[in-house]
Amino acid sequence: MEFYLDTADVHAVRKLNRVLPIVGVTTNPSIIAKEKRPAFEVLAELQDIIGERGQLFAQTLSREAEQMVEEALQLREKFPSIVVKVPTTPEGIAAIKMLTEQHVPTLGTAVYGAGQGFLAALAGAKYVAPYVNRIDAQGGNGVETVRELQRLLDLHKPDSMVLAASFRTPRQALDCMLAGCRSITIGTDVAEFFLADPAVFAALDKFDADWNSAFSKLVF
């Protein structure tokens, strides 16, 4: 199971990387734009935090396949281990094919249907990223899309992975993992929700109170 943070917030990644068993960070143009700093500067800081073994993702900007490939190669020149995110449009799938021939690992992103994601995998994408909450917002079923896509990959393309994305709640992420998804990426807000159940701290307060009532001080 691969667990990623979906953010370019350097401070949040530094904080959560200390606690969570993340294997890397995913970004996209909107996420990086929020930081209002040069993209390569942000990516370099993120890579430094997660270390050489941490996996970093960044996305192309162009709409034409040839330009996508050019941008992907620029990213790989600066960050040799980066996985390049490519939208799963017709031009994007063409770019994934070309990049696969050049041994550049890709993630087919902006997946809204199992068939769309499956084509990206067949084109050579190492990862495919269905947008779970956005599918739900359009009246679909994001978790079911993940389940269908995972089944297709298990049957026909087991060397590719679903990397489920776009979550509003921890429940959505858990349901995707229960559907067999082997990698997810979550925003820092959802990551905090996993850790912030007030009932946990209420239980700890009760333990402290009971111990102090019996022994007067918090030592063994």
Side-chain angles (χ1 to χ4, degrees):
M1 182 68 210
E2 297 180 2
F3 191 75
Y4 297 92
L5 288 178
D6 193 32
T7 184
D9 185 332
V10 171
H11 300 294
V13 172
R14 184 175 288 111
K15 172 188 173 184
L16 290 170
N17 184 54
R18 175 178 172 272
V19 177
L20 297 176
I22 66 170
V23 296
V25 173
T26 63
T27 68
N28 63 41
S30 296
I31 284 173
I32 292 180
K34 291 179 182 178
E35 302 307 302
K36 302 187 183 303
R37 293 193 291 140
F40 279 5
E41 178 182 311
V42 174
L43 291 171
E45 291 187 25
L46 292 171
Q47 187 71 74
D48 183 63
I49 294 169
I50 61 178
E52 293 182 359
R53 295 186 180 181
Q55 184 61 66
L56 187 63
F57 295 72
Q59 186 168 324
T60 58
L61 295 169
S62 296
R63 299 292 184 93
E64 303 297 325
E66 289 73 15
Q67 284 71 46
M68 291 179 185
V69 170
E70 182 178 339
E71 292 171 4
L73 295 177
Q74 290 174 355
L75 284 165
R76 291 282 289 184
E77 182 178 1
K78 185 69 175 178
F79 306 97
S81 65
I82 204 167
V83 175
V84 181
K85 296 176 65 176
V86 179
T88 51
T89 61
E91 287 294 301
I93 291 176
I96 289 171
K97 288 178 63 179
M98 287 186 276
L99 289 167
T100 299
E101 291 174 357
Q102 299 185 54
H103 306 289
V104 175
T106 57
L107 178 152
T109 193
V111 171
Y112 284 80
Q116 177 195 13
F118 185 52
L119 289 175
L122 290 179
K126 180 178 180 181
Y127 298 92
V128 285
Y131 284 179
V132 176
N133 192 61
R134 295 189 190 186
I135 293 171
D136 287 351
Q138 291 188 349
N141 186 323
V143 174
E144 184 59 29
T145 298
V146 168
R147 184 177 290 107
E148 290 178 350
L149 180 53
Q150 185 63 58
R151 180 64 172 157
L152 286 168
L153 297 186
D154 288 342
L155 288 171
H156 306 294
K157 196 64 169 60
D159 56 332
S160 295
M161 294 177 64
V162 175
L163 200 167
S166 176
F167 296 109
R168 186 172 55 86
T169 67
R171 184 71 253 173
Q172 290 173 315
L174 290 172
D175 286 342
C176 285
M177 289 186 279
L178 289 168
C181 176
R182 292 182 290 135
S183 58
I184 63 168
T185 184
I186 61 174
T188 55
D189 54 344
V190 176
E192 294 282 4
F193 287 149
F194 269 107
L195 302 170
D197 192 327
V200 175
F201 298 100
L204 294 178
D205 290 341
K206 181 66 163 57
F207 296 153
D208 290 347
D210 290 345
W211 183 274
N212 289 333
S213 175
F215 301 106
S216 301
K217 55 182 179 179
L218 194 61
V219 294
F220 286 104

